[in-house]
Amino acid sequence: MKKIVIFASGTGSNAEKIILHFKKSSLGNVVGIFSNNPHAKVLELTKLYDIQSIVFDKRDMVDGYVLQEINKIQPDLIVLAGFLWKFPASIITSYPNKVINIHPALLPNYGGKGMYGMHVHKAVLENKEKETGITIHYVNENYDEGAFIFQKAINIEDCTVPEEIAEKVHQLEHEFFPDVIETLITNY
Ligand code: GAR
């Protein structure tokens, strides 16, 4: 049984899909949820599904506390699912090719610092894009620049507000992210 930990900063709808997927799979299990936001809705999932939660601040990230907590778990995969801080190089080097992120657009477009959540969808709409999508990629020391694992596009010509784009993108994420994770851990 492969151990998965999730980093999230907000609602955690992707985290919940992943948790539920692996409740039905013998291949892996979500064993920890890390959040930089003590008020994040994602933390409710830890009570609901009896999963260890680790809440941390910027200093914990820098001084090694977060890495120490990860090391206690020894995860096979670290999944960033709506995690909005830059991920520290020290953790990436300790877990090479084991940290992945989901981005709500078709990278390399609409990535980089400040490009997260609704900011992405607003920019996509302002540029009158016909399609957007999701990118699942390995995490390296630069925002949204690691090697791609999976991309899926979706037509958004019928969307008139960013919220409609967000909804379509979330649906794609929920449909594909758990399966991509399962494929990855199967090949480890
Ligand atoms: C997701 O759409 C994810 O792609 C995005 O945050 C949302 C989190 O939703 N991540 C980024 O923008 C990272 N740059 P959720 O909390 O409901 O899973």
Side-chain angles (χ1 to χ4, degrees):
M1 180 81 87
K2 300 285 168 62
K3 287 184 276 185
I4 301 162
V5 300
I6 296 176
F7 276 70
S9 304
T11 311
S13 71
N14 278 288
E16 186 161 29
K17 292 289 172 192
I18 298 163
I19 292 165
L20 291 174
H21 179 94
F22 287 100
K23 281 208 168 293
K24 287 186 269 166
S25 162
S26 55
L27 293 167
N29 200 14
V30 177
V31 295
I33 296 191
F34 287 69
S35 186
N36 58 305
N37 177 3
H39 309 294
K41 203 160 177 279
V42 68
L43 291 171
E44 292 172 16
L45 301 176
T46 62
K47 294 184 202 104
L48 192 60
Y49 298 109
D50 194 21
I51 298 168
Q52 182 190 358
S53 67
I54 297 101
V55 178
F56 57 90
D57 59 19
K58 275 254 154 69
R59 198 175 30 180
D60 297 328
M61 199 88 155
V62 176
D63 73 8
Y65 167 76
V66 176
L67 178 58
Q68 204 179 306
E69 290 301 309
I70 296 173
N71 286 342
K72 278 189 204 161
I73 298 173
Q74 291 285 312
D76 298 284
L77 192 68
I78 299 171
V79 176
L80 312 191
F83 182 63
L84 303 183
W85 284 358
K86 198 159 190 282
F87 208 66
S90 56
I91 304 178
I92 300 167
T93 10
S94 302
Y95 290 86
N97 289 323
K98 286 188 176 175
V99 187
I100 67 166
N101 177 49
I102 190 159
H103 187 78
L106 295 170
L107 291 174
N109 297 327
Y110 302 102
K113 195 167 166 37
M115 273 294 173
Y116 59 87
M118 290 304 287
H119 298 288
V120 175
H121 308 310
K122 277 184 191 146
V124 165
L125 188 70
E126 273 162 21
N127 286 340
K128 300 185 172 46
E129 298 285 0
K130 288 189 168 57
E131 58 175 31
T132 186
I134 60 171
T135 306
I136 298 167
H137 63 95
Y138 288 105
V139 173
N140 69 14
E141 57 287 348
N142 300 318
Y143 270 114
D144 304 324
E145 284 185 12
F148 295 172
I149 299 163
F150 177 87
Q151 283 194 306
K152 187 84 185 173
I154 193 161
N155 187 287
I156 47 161
E157 283 172 284
D158 59 337
C159 295
T160 54
V161 288
E163 288 75 12
E164 287 171 351
I165 300 179
E167 197 182 322
K168 280 195 175 194
V169 167
H170 259 121
Q171 278 172 14
L172 270 191
E173 294 184 326
H174 297 166
E175 184 179 348
F176 291 101
F177 203 13
D179 286 334
V180 170
I181 292 170
E182 179 156 328
T183 305
L184 276 178
I185 60 172
T186 307
N187 295 331
Y188 279 150

